[in-house]
């Protein structure tokens, strides 16, 4: 199966995919930590967004639900973590757990509605749910700080003793550690019978139903899992940035997450990770020059990917790699 | 009473603007089955060109509108031939979304590079900017102009689709593209013509409705989903459905913003969820 290829396919036999995922995330994190010690806040933000893109991959890449409202789950969890911190729960791990829980519940709730439909109505419902949450977050100022954002909270030290430093080292290392663990877990889950079944549902719903799969509960369950992952990302953003803003629930956040996912390759967790990284590096380089050049570039990139590498950059790279290997003796 | 009257007028005008822009998309989605998020971008191009024509070239409003529609079609035509055409046979929603998001981003970037990233004003002629006496009260003339344009669009499109040879071919292609082709109808030409009509209507609606949906650098992104939502709520391919959905959603949005402005688009999207959950194929749409 093509989507099983990837770095995991290349190194199979040596390491389990989960261990490889864990190690690669750590290696990338270490490289970032050593090479860009002054940009750790930016790198931490990328890690937080990576959770959102991974979470989006679970529903879009593995279940075939095209959604333009996924940032709602991310944002709700970020506000939940911020409010929990405001109420006095300062432990970052507790806040992460709250984020995951709130994200999972929101995912189950919206998934219960969205998974009932297919095609255009489904897409429009994801948009409407996302915009509804954004409008509510703007309105409920006592809960979210409105357009000023939520920032009047403090987060305690990690494990009760390691305080967050002003260079963002602890925040970054903590984020990378959590990403490595979650990424390895997700790699395991998408290979499990449950993960394979959701992929069967995506590929052919009718056939999946004929072999006896109950479609709707699986999709809702995956939405819940996806919500938990997005929630961890949202809570992580709230903990490390010290502020939760309306941009976390915005349509732009949902749309850019989808762009990142497809640039990397939907239906492949490695692609989600790669897409997030490539997108942010390019954005960092180009949009400082001119934000409209950045939009043109992303637009052109998307068009080229859809036309020439419809399964994403990572898959295109693998095809290219295997062709080159086949040519050399 | 006065509030009710002004809500009704603003809601109708807003609904008409939504209708003018989204009806083209509705026809296109009914025929080609494509989820096009770049429709607002075409309205934006129309607005930019109209603004350039009337502000920089000093052309008359009455000339600027058709010029904008025509130029937008010319700009969009290569996109149809090179990009959109490959989507018609492709039912994968994700591909359609991404290609049209990509086109939108590209248009935003290029348009603002060429014309500059500022709010684009389209000055109204004196005959449209004053108040208009309808007997018992005064109304802004421009609002009446928007209403008239909306009705004219609906009527012209209905005549085109129901009363002409071309309309018969379009409806045949909507019902069964393969059979229409077998009977000698060149569907690719029908698709091209429909695309041009949709783009022209988007530009026309964008210019005429610029007082309600101001033409600004991120117009295409801000209103990216709104037209798609209207079409989906009304039912893809249905003119009457697009009209009904535009009016209902215009009413929900305007009433909400008048009475509880801090809720923003809450009421608009609540209405959308309600409509789509009850009528998955839209108010007047058919099942595909």
């Amino acid at each position: 199966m093509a989507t099983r290829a990837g770095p995991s396919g290349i190194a199979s036999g040596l390491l389990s995919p989960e261990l490889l995922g864990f190690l690669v995330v750590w290696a990338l994190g270490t490289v970032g930590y050593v090479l860009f010690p002054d940009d750790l806040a930016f790198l931490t933000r990328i890690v937080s967004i990576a959770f959102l893109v991974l979470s989006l991959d679970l529903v879009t890449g593995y279940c075939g639900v095209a959604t333009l409202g996924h940032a709602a789950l991310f944002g709700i969890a970020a506000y939940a973590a911020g409010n929990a911190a405001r109420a006095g729960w300062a432990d970052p791990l507790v806040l992460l757990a709250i984020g995951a829980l709130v994200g999972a519940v929101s995912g189950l709730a919206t998934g219960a509605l969205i998974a009932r439909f297919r095609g255009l109505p489904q897409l429009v419902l994801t948009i409407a749910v996302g915009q509804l949450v954004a409008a509510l977050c703007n309105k409920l100022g006592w809960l979210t700080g409105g357009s000023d954002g939520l920032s009047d909270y403090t987060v305690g030290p990690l494990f009760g003793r390691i305080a967050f430093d002003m260079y963002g080292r602890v925040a970054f290392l903590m984020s990378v550690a959590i990403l490595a663990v979650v990424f390895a877990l997700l790699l395991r889950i998408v290979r499990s019978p449950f993960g394979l079944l959701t992929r069967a549902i995506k590929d052919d719903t009718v056939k999946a139903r004929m072999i006896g799969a109950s479609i709707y509960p699986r999709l809702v369950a995956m939405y819940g899992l996806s919500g938990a992952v997005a929630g961890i990302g949202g809570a992580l953003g709230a903990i490390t940035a010290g502020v939760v803003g309306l941009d976390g629930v915005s349509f732009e956040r949902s749309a850019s997450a989808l762009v990142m996912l497809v640039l990397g390759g939907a239906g492949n967790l490695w692609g989600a990770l790669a897409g997030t990284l490539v997108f942010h590096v390019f954005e960092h380089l180009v949009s400082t020059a001119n934000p409209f050049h950045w939009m043109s570039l992303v637009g052109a990139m998307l068009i080229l990917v859809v036309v020439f590498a419809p399964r994403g950059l990572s898959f295109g790279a693998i095809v290219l790699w295997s062709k080159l290997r086949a040519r050399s003796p | 009473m006065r509030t009710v009257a002004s809500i009704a007028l603003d809601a109708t005008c807003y609904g008409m603007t939504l209708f003018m822009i989204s009806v083209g998309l509705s026809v296109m989605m009914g025929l080609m089955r494509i989820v096009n998020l770049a429709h607002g971008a075409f309205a934006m191009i129309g607005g930019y060109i109209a603004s350039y024509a009337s502000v920089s070239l000093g052309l008359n409003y009455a000339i600027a509108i058709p010029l904008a529609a025509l130029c937008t079609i010319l700009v969009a035509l290569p996109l149809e031939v090179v990009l959109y055409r490959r989507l018609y046979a492709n039912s994968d929603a994700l591909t359609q979304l991404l290609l049209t998001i990509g086109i939108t981003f590209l248009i935003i970037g290029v348009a603002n590079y060429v014309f500059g990233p500022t709010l684009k004003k389209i000055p109204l002629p004196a005959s449209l900017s004053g108040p208009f006496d309808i007997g018992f009260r005064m109304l802004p003339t421009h609002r009446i102009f928007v209403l008239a344009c909306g009705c004219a669009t609906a009527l012209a499109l209905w005549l085109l689709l129901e009363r002409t040879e071309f309309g018969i071919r379009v409806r045949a292609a909507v019902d069964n593209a393969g059979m229409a082709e077998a009977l000698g109808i060149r569907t690719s030409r029908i698709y091209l013509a429909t695309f041009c009509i949709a783009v022209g209507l988007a530009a026309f609606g964008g210019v005429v409705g610029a007082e309600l949906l101001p033409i600004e650098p991120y117009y295409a992104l801000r209103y990216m989903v709104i037209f798609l939502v209207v079409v989906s709520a009304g039912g893809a391919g249905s003119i009457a459905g697009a009209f009904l959905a535009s009016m209902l959603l215009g009413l929900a949005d305007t009433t909400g913003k008048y009475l509880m402005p801090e809720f923003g688009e809450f009421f608009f999207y609540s209405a959308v969820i309600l409509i789509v959950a009850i009528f998955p194929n839209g108010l007047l749409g058919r099942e595909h």
Side-chain angles (χ1 to χ4, degrees), chain B residues 27 49 60 62-63 75 93-94 104 163 203 210 220 239 250 273:
Chain B
V27 173
I49 291 173
N60 193 313
I63 302 172
V75 171
L94 197 58
T104 309
R163 290 283 182 271
I239 299 176
I273 293 179

Side-chain angles (χ1 to χ4, degrees), chain A residues 9 13 19 23 43 78 82 85-86 94 104 110 112 138 150 157 161 185 194 200 206-207 229 264 297 302 310 329:
Chain A
L19 190 58
L23 293 176
L43 296 183
R86 203 155 63 156
V94 172
T110 54
N138 189 27
L150 191 69
R161 57 184 72 177
L185 276 177
F194 167 68
V206 177
K207 272 187 200 158
V229 176
L297 183 76
L302 269 179

Side-chain angles (χ1 to χ4, degrees), chain A residues 60 68 117 120-121 123-125 127-128 131-132 135-136 139 251-252 262 292-293 295-296 298-299 302-303 306-307, chain B residues 29 35 83 86 95 98 102 105-106 108-110 112-113 117 218 224-225 232 262-263 266 269-270 273 276-277 280:
Chain A
T60 301
L68 275 173
F117 300 89
L120 183 62
L123 174 71
V124 169
L125 279 177
I127 294 171
Q131 301 283 52
L132 203 61
L136 275 182
K139 164 69 185 109
F251 173 74
E252 285 77 9
V262 173
F292 290 107
H293 287 339
M295 295 213 81
S296 310
V298 175
L302 269 179
I303 293 171
V306 171
V307 173
Chain B
M29 282 171 65
V35 177
L83 295 175
R86 64 177 70 228
T95 313
L98 286 151
F105 281 10
L106 194 61
I108 294 177
V110 173
N112 287 296
Y113 179 71
Y218 288 102
M224 183 182 240
V225 290
S232 170
E262 69 275 22
F263 272 97
F266 179 80
Y269 283 103
S270 302
I273 293 179
V276 174

Side-chain angles (χ1 to χ4, degrees), chain A residues 50-62:
Chain A
F51 280 97
L52 174 64
V53 181
L54 284 172
S55 138
L56 184 63
D57 200 8
L58 292 179
V59 292
T60 301
Y62 287 86

Side-chain angles (χ1 to χ4, degrees), chain A residues 250-265:
Chain A
S250 65
F251 173 74
E252 285 77 9
R253 175 65 56 85
S254 299
S256 63
L258 193 65
V259 169
M260 290 175 219
L261 175 62
V262 173
L263 281 183

